[in-house]
Amino acid sequence: MAHAYVVGTFDTKGDELRYVAELIRDTGHDVTTVDVGTSDATARRADVVAADVAGPEAFTGDRGTSVAAMAEALARWLPRRDDLDGVIALGGSGGTALVTPALQRLAVGTPKIVVSTVASGDVAPYVGSSDIALMYSVTDVAGLNRISRVVLANAAHALAGALSGPRPAVGEDRPALGLTMFGVTTPCVTAVTEALHDEFDCLVFHATGTGGRAMEKLVDDGLVSAVCDVSTTEIADLVAGGVMAATRDRLGAIARRRVPWVGSVGALDMVNFGAPDTVPERYRDRLFYEHNPQVTLMRTTPDECRGAAAFLARGLNACEGPVRLVVPLRGVSALDVEGGPFADPAATEALVETLRAELVTTEQRRLIETDLHVNDPEFAARLVAELGAISQ
């Protein structure tokens, strides 16, 4: 028997939330209902009243400020529940925005489902880097009818199934290693994972902005023991305004948790945009490479490389755990190779010179330059060796 939390605004969605709670109870699981409605702080509409979740600041009478305050309060309150095995929430746009920040803070692997009217649009702000499952409500979450009953029942039974199933234990006999990969650094990361498969449970993250955030969330959650950050390309998107950008907190989890970090400058030669007609006008005269019809790559300039290197150095300077930044001087991606479309010695020189100038090297934090390409087998072997040296 597991314990599910059913969360929502019981002042407006009470019938639907109670319906879902009862369906989950019928499968044999315990349920706690949580009211996050802001119309009445102490109304006994659920097992946990809104006032138990939030303080007076969430009940101002103004919908916008109240919802924002309740969202912050729930994000503090929900992760502290030590009996929470899974959670389900329902809502429209406001309710979805209210509950999902709290769900994003729950550990990856904790079942979390949201039935929402906005689940068929751009869901990135709601999912973030977590494993939230969004289900489109089809009709509005505004009463029980022949459609909503079926959709809500499917969601309730999906959570019940997740709570009932055995938790896979594959890989838990080895420490977890987080790795970042991009298409143009795949040979390197593949070689590293093959070399370390017996020693580590290798978790590969696609460096699309969300991928880096997902890896660092697992680091923050204590689920990743070491990091092989080959592809720091998301920093280039942050510097130049690409669509796969890191946040300003990139490398923050590494500093907070002090995990061993071996990394590189993989794919810092490029910034990502969508189809060619989505490239900002100010960049129209730049050097581009069409990765596919939906992804256009722009070569970073020396100034952008300096900005990316400075960001990387600042992030690593804040890390007190063991750090090894390994730089391939012969190219940082499959496109940045002699005779390749992104070969640019001036940009590479700007990148390396900035790292030399701004990375504060110590016994714990080292800059290692290699006369290799990022996808050379010898470069992967060097990463493996450095990781072995600092993760013992």
Side-chain angles (χ1 to χ4, degrees):
M1 184 184 297
H3 196 142
Y5 275 58
V6 176
V7 181
T9 54
F10 275 76
D11 51 350
T12 59
K13 316 292 184 190
D15 289 344
E16 298 93 318
L17 289 157
R18 283 185 284 269
Y19 173 69
V20 166
E22 202 56 40
L23 288 171
I24 297 172
R25 286 193 187 98
D26 287 346
T27 66
H29 298 298
D30 290 333
V31 175
T32 294
T33 54
V34 181
D35 183 17
V36 290
T38 56
S39 61
D40 187 340
T42 59
R44 179 55 66 180
R45 297 178 291 232
D47 298 325
V48 177
V49 301
D52 292 337
V53 176
E57 65 274 9
F59 307 97
T60 64
D62 175 74
R63 185 177 187 276
T65 57
S66 293
V67 168
M70 180 60 80
E72 292 180 7
L74 183 65
R76 294 189 298 269
W77 183 88
L78 195 63
R80 296 174 183 164
R81 303 309 101 191
D82 57 10
D83 61 346
L84 187 154
D85 297 309
V87 60
I88 187 168
L90 325 174
S93 58
T96 304
L98 191 164
V99 300
T100 49
L103 271 59
Q104 290 177 21
R105 295 194 184 183
L106 299 178
V108 170
T110 300
K112 23 186 137 36
I113 297 175
V114 181
V115 181
S116 171
T117 61
V118 296
S120 68
D122 178 7
V123 299
Y126 307 117
V127 176
S129 56
S130 186
D131 56 339
I132 297 171
L134 286 178
M135 181 180 291
Y136 182 46
S137 62
V138 184
T139 62
D140 199 353
V141 185
L144 295 171
N145 55 59
R146 69 183 67 188
I147 301 299
S148 65
R149 286 180 184 275
V150 173
V151 172
L152 294 174
N154 285 341
H157 293 144
L159 182 66
L163 294 173
S164 300
R167 184 184 180 91
V170 176
E172 294 185 0
D173 57 327
R174 292 161 289 156
L177 173 68
L179 304 100
T180 51
M181 185 168 76
F182 219 41
V184 291
T185 62
T186 296
C188 175
V189 179
T190 299
V192 171
T193 58
E194 288 177 350
L196 294 174
H197 180 267
D198 292 339
E199 184 178 351
F200 289 95
D201 188 18
C202 294
L203 316 179
V204 179
F205 297 85
H206 196 187
T208 57
T210 303
R213 292 194 292 277
M215 181 185 72
E216 293 209 358
K217 174 176 171 53
L218 294 182
V219 173
D220 264 332
D221 289 344
L223 299 177
V224 168
S225 301
V227 170
C228 188
D229 209 348
V230 175
S231 311
T232 47
T233 181
E234 297 160 324
I235 296 172
D237 279 52
L238 175 63
V239 168
V243 299
M244 297 184 181
T247 69
R248 290 286 170 187
D249 192 46
R250 185 68 165 90
L251 300 170
I254 310 302
R256 288 187 290 273
R257 301 292 297 196
R258 302 183 183 184
V259 298
W261 185 94
V262 173
S264 189
V265 290
L268 279 180
D269 59 327
M270 59 188 62
V271 178
N272 294 266
F273 296 103
D277 61 1
T278 69
V279 176
E281 185 64 35
R282 67 185 184 277
Y283 290 144
R284 294 293 174 168
D285 62 345
R286 295 282 294 275
L287 173 61
F288 294 100
Y289 182 86
E290 186 176 314
H291 183 65
N292 61 49
Q294 287 76 43
V295 177
T296 304
L297 308 177
M298 180 178 76
R299 206 331 172 170
T300 46
T301 64
D303 279 347
E304 289 163 350
C305 286
R306 290 186 191 97
F311 181 98
L312 180 58
R314 286 193 300 271
L316 294 178
N317 287 342
C319 298
E320 297 181 6
V323 165
R324 301 292 184 269
L325 177 58
V326 189
V327 179
L329 299 177
R330 290 189 175 271
V332 303
S333 83
L335 303 183
D336 179 25
V337 62
E338 186 176 356
F342 278 3
D344 187 340
T348 300
E349 183 179 4
L351 180 73
V352 176
E353 284 186 348
T354 304
L355 291 172
R356 290 170 182 157
E358 300 207 17
L359 185 71
V360 179
T361 57
T362 66
E363 185 64 26
Q364 283 279 80
R365 185 186 310 114
R366 300 180 187 174
L367 175 65
I368 300 165
E369 299 177 30
T370 65
D371 190 29
L372 297 166
H373 186 272
V374 69
N375 288 327
D376 286 342
E378 297 85 356
F379 186 76
R382 183 61 184 269
L383 294 175
V384 170
E386 294 297 334
L387 187 64
I390 67 174
S391 61
Q392 299 299 323

